[in-house]
Amino acid sequence: MHDLQVNRPSTAVSVDDLKLEIRAALDLSRRMGFRAIDIGAVRGPVSPEEMTRTAQRHFKKHLDDIGLRMSSLRGPTGGRGYADPAEGDRRLAAMRRIIALASDMRVPVVSTILGPAGQEMSDDAQSRLREALEVMASDSDRLGITVAIETAGISTPSLKDVLRQINCPSLLACCDSGAMLMQGEDPHRIADLLGGRIGLVRARDAIAGSPGAMGHEVAMGEGQLSPSALLAALAESGYSGDLVMTRSFGPQVVADLVRARETFDTES
């Protein structure tokens, strides 16, 4: 029990969900009781295009001043994915710049969504996806960054197979509990599904989906997610990184995120 308390995951917040100007979002995150943040880096103030060395210093100083740390950056999520013949190269180039930015800023994890993936992919698409993942794995290994592939839009068995094929210790999974529920999967079985290969966790609740019927996100406590069961599964899997509290939409996002933090902090 003592080891579990020492190594328990800590909570971070997805700053993008607050939908505020960056400084206001950071200040609000701290007032909400968070000490770590996750933020999208594809565009905006925390992106490779805008984060000059000077901007990095100012940004990190502000975080230090208000008692926050960077938990993770988020790479490309929308669009047609890394396997797309028209978009894939641009997406990969953007991801590589974000991995390099994470290294410069000493952010340990960068997550991304693969895009449409699975057994129905053509041989050419599978080849493009594998090449993109190999490049990401090489960059992450060289720079000491974990790249975490989100469980959104891909089944956990397929993701596990992809990770096994690449077999790079710095290329891991990002368990999105809400996405898993919406896809009809059970995040409480994450130790069996992806044990030893989890690099980040996005914690959100959802009404579970079923074959042919996608579920939908809800506020923490209103869906099928059991925080205590998820924490137990993560402990079994050996994960002790951050839990990024996420609430994509809703009339009271701030209150929902605070409640989610309090729930996981209490369970921990």
Side-chain angles (χ1 to χ4, degrees):
M1 180 62 70
H2 177 70
D3 288 342
L4 178 59
Q5 290 300 313
V6 170
N7 297 320
R8 71 183 186 272
S10 57
T11 52
V13 65
S14 173
V15 168
D16 296 341
D17 292 345
L18 301 177
K19 297 177 174 58
L20 294 171
E21 179 272 331
I22 185 61
R23 288 235 170 183
L26 296 176
D27 293 344
L28 177 58
S29 297
R30 191 63 190 89
R31 293 199 303 274
M32 291 163 66
F34 289 98
R35 294 183 179 275
I37 60 168
D38 163 88
I39 190 165
V42 174
R43 61 185 63 84
V46 187
S47 65
E49 288 70 31
E50 297 197 28
M51 267 290 160
T52 63
R53 295 287 185 180
T54 300
Q56 289 179 34
R57 288 196 300 273
H58 288 311
F59 187 75
K60 287 188 283 188
K61 183 179 185 306
H62 183 66
L63 290 180
D64 289 341
D65 287 346
I66 63 175
L68 285 175
R69 64 175 171 83
M70 290 289 291
S71 169
S72 49
L73 295 178
R74 202 175 193 189
T77 56
R80 291 174 289 185
Y82 291 97
D84 185 78
E87 187 178 295
D89 287 346
R90 291 193 297 272
R91 189 185 187 92
L92 177 59
M95 183 62 175
R96 296 187 73 183
R97 289 192 293 270
I98 294 169
I99 294 171
L101 176 64
S103 177
D104 289 343
M105 297 182 69
R106 298 186 179 179
V107 181
V109 184
V110 178
S111 68
T112 187
I113 291 177
L114 293 183
Q119 294 180 344
E120 72 281 357
M121 295 173 65
S122 68
D123 289 344
D124 285 346
Q126 291 184 29
S127 178
R128 285 190 295 270
L129 179 59
R130 183 182 178 89
E131 289 175 4
L133 286 166
E134 287 175 343
V135 170
M136 282 187 263
S138 177
D139 283 0
S140 63
D141 191 50
R142 175 172 52 84
L143 295 172
I145 300 297
T146 293
V147 167
I149 307 300
E150 300 189 30
T151 55
I154 184 172
S155 69
T156 47
S158 294
L159 179 53
K160 183 177 181 179
D161 187 54
V162 164
L163 295 175
R164 184 173 60 246
Q165 288 179 30
I166 303 299
N167 194 28
C168 174
S170 59
L171 186 68
L172 300 173
C174 170
C175 167
D176 182 332
S177 61
M180 292 180 70
L181 284 168
M182 288 185 275
Q183 294 167 185
E185 297 187 307
D186 186 357
H188 310 111
R189 293 186 56 240
I190 197 66
D192 297 328
L193 297 168
L194 290 167
R197 293 184 178 271
I198 304 172
L200 188 67
V201 175
R202 294 190 179 279
R204 53 179 176 148
D205 206 348
I207 300 298
S210 60
M214 189 76 167
H216 60 277
E217 181 188 309
V218 293
M220 190 65 64
E222 297 179 5
Q224 272 74 55
L225 185 69
S226 166
S228 60
L230 179 63
L231 286 169
L234 291 171
E236 182 182 348
S237 74
Y239 181 76
S240 59
D242 289 327
L243 305 176
V244 180
M245 301 295 110
T246 300
R247 184 72 169 113
S248 301
F249 59 87
Q252 48 183 14
V253 167
V254 171
D256 290 345
L257 288 168
V258 170
R259 188 187 323 137
R261 178 190 62 74
E262 292 173 343
T263 298
F264 277 94
D265 285 348
T266 300
E267 294 290 346
S268 295

